[in-house]
């Protein structure tokens, strides 16, 4: 059963490569944005014909949250139209799609766990276009798993953990947002969960939430990175109003993982335990 990973050279794609190697999964192909151009359905179809995937994991996305406010059409092309192209080819070639979405589809103005049925009310262009991508998939495809995740980091590519390690090493003090709360997700854990869904051979299609367990602010996440990484730097908590950004972020976006745990028997690690593993790997 061949697996095709689109956006295969990005952060999550590299995490999938690591886990696939650990599990001796060889029937997996990682396509970059040229070979697996999700905006060019003809190019994409050639890839489907060549690889004959039973499963497609879509890691390709426009994820520059602030830039998306100025690049609305590009964000929409990648996050909505690209997702729709993939879904149409999955229908045509009878492949099951695993699509990565985000906690940014939620407004996040109430401190309660968000489940798969919670109202989706995005407050940024990024969140809106990701939600449009979800709808594009569900409108044309039946065999899909949409997996919403949050605060992704790993030893690969650029992410908050690696940025904090660099800044913490270079500077004496940092100010970090303390009034936005969510859950960091170690990309290797998410990759393992995606491959677990495929290995389960269950056809429990639908929308699922996956992040690590627990809840933390960006400030506390940064403090933990410095503590575990043995980095000495003064950290000041900031209010969102003190650090304005083009895109508005959810104030509280902690997701309920009950559905994915009970459906697939997936064990979700605590965020701090996974952070230790990631820093060790880095």
């Amino acid at each position: 059963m061949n697996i095709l990973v689109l956006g295969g050279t990005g952060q999550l794609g590299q995490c999938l490569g690591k886990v696939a190697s650990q599990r001796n999964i060889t029937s997996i192909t990682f396509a970059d944005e040229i070979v697996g151009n999700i905006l060019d359905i003809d190019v994409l179809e050639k890839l489907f014909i060549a690889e004959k995937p039973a499963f497609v994991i879509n890691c390709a996305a426009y994820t520059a949250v602030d830039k998306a406010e100025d690049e609305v059409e590009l964000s929409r092309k990648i996050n909505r139209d690209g997702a729709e192209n993939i879904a149409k080819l999955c229908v045509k070639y009878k492949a099951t799609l695993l699509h990565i979405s985000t906690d940014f589809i939620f407004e996040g103005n109430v401190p309660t766990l968000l489940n798969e049925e919670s109202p989706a009310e995005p407050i940024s262009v990024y969140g809106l276009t990701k939600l449009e991508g979800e709808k594009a998939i569900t409108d044309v495809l039946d065999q899909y798993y949409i997996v919403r995740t949050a605060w992704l980091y790993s030893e690969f590519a650029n992410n908050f953990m690696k940025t904090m390690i660099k800044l913490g090493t270079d500077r004496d003090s940092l100010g970090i947002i303390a009034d936005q709360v969510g859950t960091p997700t170690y990309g290797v854990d998410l990759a393992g969960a995606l491959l677990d869904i495929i290995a389960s051979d269950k056809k429990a299609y639908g929308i699922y939430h996956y992040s690590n367990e627990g809840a933390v602010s960006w400030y506390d996440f940064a403090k933990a990175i410095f503590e575990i990484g043995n980095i000495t730097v003064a950290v000041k908590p900031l209010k969102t109003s003190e650090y304005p950004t083009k895109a508005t972020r959810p104030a509280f976006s902690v997701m309920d993982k009950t559905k994915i745990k009970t459906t697939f028997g997936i064990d979700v690690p605590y965020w701090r335990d996974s952070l230790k593993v990631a820093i060790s790997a880095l």
Side-chain angles (χ1 to χ4, degrees), residues 81-135:
D81 299 350
E84 184 176 32
N85 287 341
I86 297 164
K88 286 178 177 177
L89 290 173
C90 284
V91 172
K92 186 173 181 177
Y93 293 97
K94 297 180 172 58
T96 297
L97 175 61
L98 287 82
H99 175 77
I100 310 304
S101 192
T102 174
D103 61 323
F104 274 55
I105 66 152
F106 297 111
E107 184 177 8
N109 63 339
V110 179
T112 186
L113 291 181
L114 296 160
N115 63 33
E116 290 79 0
E117 285 74 45
S118 297
E121 298 174 339
I123 52 177
S124 66
V125 169
Y126 168 66
L128 175 62
T129 58
K130 288 297 288 182
L131 182 62
E132 289 172 346
E134 288 188 14
K135 188 175 187 307

Side-chain angles (χ1 to χ4, degrees), residues 107-170:
E107 184 177 8
N109 63 339
V110 179
T112 186
L113 291 181
L114 296 160
N115 63 33
E116 290 79 0
E117 285 74 45
S118 297
E121 298 174 339
I123 52 177
S124 66
V125 169
Y126 168 66
L128 175 62
T129 58
K130 288 297 288 182
L131 182 62
E132 289 172 346
E134 288 188 14
K135 188 175 187 307
I137 290 166
T138 59
D139 282 349
V140 302
L141 181 64
D142 294 326
Q143 296 176 205
Y144 66 83
Y145 301 98
I146 292 172
V147 181
R148 296 170 179 156
T149 192
W151 297 24
L152 197 66
Y153 74 94
S154 69
E155 59 268 34
F156 304 108
N158 296 318
N159 54 69
F160 184 79
M161 178 190 75
K162 292 174 75 173
T163 299
M164 287 301 103
I165 289 173
K166 183 179 186 305
L167 291 178
T169 304
D170 293 343

Side-chain angles (χ1 to χ4, degrees), residues 11-25:
Q11 178 175 205
L12 184 55
Q14 292 181 70
C15 291
L16 280 160
K18 178 174 182 172
V19 178
S21 178
Q22 291 171 343
R23 298 186 183 186
N24 296 314
I25 298 171

